[in-house]
Amino acid sequence: MSGDAGVVEGPLQGYHHETYVVPLPGWTGEAEPVRWKCREPRPGLLWFDRRCFASEEELLRALQGRIEGIPDLIQAGSAGLQRFIEGETLGALFGSGGEIPSSLLGQIVSLFGQLARVKPDSLTAERTCTSVYRAAEGDTDGFLERLILFTEEEVYQRNMPDFKGLFYDLGLESASFGKLREQVSGLTSRPFHLLHADLHRENFVVDGAGRLWTIDWELAMFGDPLYDLATHLYLMRYPRDQERRMIERWREVVAPGGSDGWEKDLPKLLAFKRAQSVFTDVIRTALSLEGERTADTGVLARAGDRIRQVLSAATVPLGIGVPAPESVTAALGRWCEEQAKSAEVLAGAAVPGGA
C-alpha cells in the first residue's frame, strides 16, 4: 500500500494487537503523507474485559462528528485503517500519579460530556453483548453484576485449569466473589450512555498543537456513567486535589441523573476495580514469569511485591488477607515449576516415541 516496505513501522508495542504504521501519500490531499494503523488481534490472547461492539472501526465510524478527537478511518482495498495520531501519550508526558495540565484536563472533561450525549438507541454500530451480559436501561446494579459475572466466569473460572494452585495459595477462592457482591450492591439507578471504559494515560495522545486524542475504543459499552468515571480515576492515579476537581467537573457535564448517588456509589465502583485488578494482575504477572525456575535474580520476589500490592488494595472487597512476601514468592516459584514440567511433557509427547 505504501509503495516502500522500508517506511513501514512495526510491529508496535502492544498486548492485544499486532500493529503496523503505514504512510500513504496522497490519500487525504494533505501536503505531508499521513500515517495509518494496520492491525490485527494477536491469536490466543487472554481478554480480561468484555467487548460489546462487533468492530472498533465500525464504532468509530458511527461516532464521527459526535465525539471529537478520535481517529479518522479509511478503507484501503480490503484493509480498514485508522489514522495514526502523531504525538505523545499522556503517560509519556505525565507519568502515573502526575498532575495533568488544566488545558488537557478540560479536554478529558469535554470527552465525558460528549459521551453522555450518545444514548443506547442513537448508535447504529453492531453490538455483540449477549443478554447474559447486558443490563436493562438504568439498572446499575444489574450492570455491575454482569461485570462481576464476566470476571468470575471468563477470567477466574476459565483460567482455573492453569492457575488453580496459584489462586489457592493466594487465597483467591470462589467465595471471594460472594464477598464482592455484598460489598458493592445497592447502587442508585442512573440513565445509561456510551462509555469508553478504558480511559487511562496511554489511551490519550497529545499532538503537536496540544490537542487530546482518544484511542483504543475496543472496550466501549453502554452502561452506568459513574463506572466510566470510576475506571478513569482508578487508572489515571490523579493527585488527590486533581481527582477531586475531575469529579466536580464530571458532574457538571454528565447527563441529567447521571451523577445521582455518586457519593455513595463511587467508592463501591472503585472497590470493584480494585477487586477486578487482582485476577487480571495475578494472571498477567504469572505469565510474565514463564521460563523462570528460581528466584536467584530476584525476578520472582519483585513479581511477588506487585501481587501483594494488588491483594492489599482488595482485601476488603474480596474479603481476603495478604500472604507474607516469602509465601507469595514461593507460590510463584511453584507455579513456574509446574508450567516448566507441563511444557516438558508436551514437548516429549510431540516427539515420535517420546514419553
Side-chain angles (χ1 to χ4, degrees):
M1 289 188 291
S2 68
D4 181 1
V7 300
V8 177
E9 181 183 348
L12 302 185
Q13 184 177 9
Y15 177 77
H16 289 120
H17 292 88
E18 182 168 321
T19 303
Y20 293 84
V21 177
V22 185
L24 299 181
W27 275 76
T28 61
E30 299 183 34
E32 296 295 327
V34 174
R35 297 202 293 170
W36 302 84
K37 289 195 302 187
C38 177
R39 63 182 191 165
E40 285 190 352
R42 298 184 188 276
L45 287 182
L46 299 175
W47 284 84
F48 299 110
D49 299 275
R50 61 178 185 167
R51 288 166 289 172
C52 291
F53 287 94
S55 163
E56 182 186 10
E57 283 71 27
E58 183 183 349
L59 172 62
L60 288 173
R61 288 190 191 94
L63 293 177
Q64 296 295 325
R66 304 183 70 177
I67 303 290
E68 298 175 356
I70 60 176
D72 297 327
L73 298 110
I74 61 170
Q75 192 69 29
S78 61
L81 307 180
Q82 292 186 34
R83 182 167 182 157
F84 181 75
I85 307 303
E86 307 287 352
E88 297 284 344
T89 67
L90 204 57
L93 296 171
F94 311 98
S96 179
E99 185 167 337
I100 305 300
S102 58
S103 61
L104 297 176
L105 193 75
Q107 293 181 66
I108 296 174
V109 173
S110 178
L111 171 64
F112 277 123
Q114 294 166 40
L115 288 166
R117 293 192 287 272
V118 183
K119 304 299 183 181
D121 59 355
S122 70
L123 203 64
T124 57
E126 180 186 356
R127 296 167 65 187
T128 56
C129 278
T130 64
S131 57
V132 174
Y133 293 119
R134 188 183 297 186
E137 164 63 27
D139 181 8
T140 51
D141 263 336
F143 172 79
L144 184 54
E145 165 57 27
R146 283 153 179 81
L147 292 175
I148 295 172
L149 186 64
F150 183 91
T151 303
E152 183 177 21
E153 295 182 344
E154 299 299 324
V155 180
Y156 179 73
Q157 293 176 3
R158 181 179 288 266
N159 290 286
M160 184 63 75
D162 292 327
F163 295 92
K164 182 177 181 179
L166 182 57
F167 286 157
Y168 178 80
D169 288 342
L170 298 176
L172 300 175
E173 302 180 359
S174 58
S176 299
F177 289 95
K179 297 287 187 181
L180 178 59
R181 288 179 169 94
E182 291 175 6
Q183 292 288 327
V184 302
S185 64
L187 299 180
T188 301
S189 176
R190 285 174 285 272
F192 288 2
H193 64 59
L194 182 65
L195 320 177
H196 180 283
D198 199 24
L199 291 174
H200 58 74
R201 293 174 191 245
E202 296 305 315
N203 281 344
F204 290 117
V205 178
V206 184
D207 68 15
R211 184 182 182 187
L212 193 71
W213 297 77
T214 308
I215 61 173
D216 289 357
W217 289 76
E218 285 187 313
L219 303 184
M221 65 180 80
F222 285 105
D224 181 0
L226 191 61
Y227 174 75
D228 218 10
L229 176 66
T231 301
H232 177 65
L233 297 179
Y234 178 76
L235 296 174
M236 289 288 287
R237 303 288 199 267
Y238 285 115
R240 187 180 299 274
D241 287 347
Q242 193 161 53
E243 177 178 290
R244 177 180 49 78
R245 291 198 300 273
M246 170 55 74
I247 294 171
E248 291 173 353
R249 298 188 65 181
W250 173 84
R251 292 178 61 204
E252 294 171 357
V253 300
V254 75
S259 64
D260 288 355
W262 75 270
E263 289 180 291
K264 172 178 67 72
D265 291 351
L266 183 56
K268 294 181 179 182
L269 292 168
L270 288 170
F272 165 72
K273 296 305 299 183
R274 293 194 299 271
Q276 180 189 41
S277 290
V278 167
F279 302 98
T280 60
D281 287 357
V282 165
I283 292 172
R284 283 176 172 160
T285 300
L287 290 176
S288 74
L289 296 173
E290 285 188 304
E292 298 289 341
R293 301 194 65 152
T294 70
D296 292 345
T297 63
V299 173
L300 295 183
R302 289 191 292 274
D305 288 341
R306 292 196 297 273
I307 286 179
R308 292 187 78 250
Q309 288 177 8
V310 296
L311 291 174
S312 179
T315 54
V316 174
L318 290 177
I320 58 174
V322 181
E326 59 272 17
S327 298
V328 178
T329 301
L332 287 170
R334 285 192 293 272
W335 184 85
C336 289
E337 291 287 347
E338 291 168 1
Q339 295 304 110
K341 291 176 182 177
S342 297
E344 290 172 359
V345 170
L346 289 174
V351 176

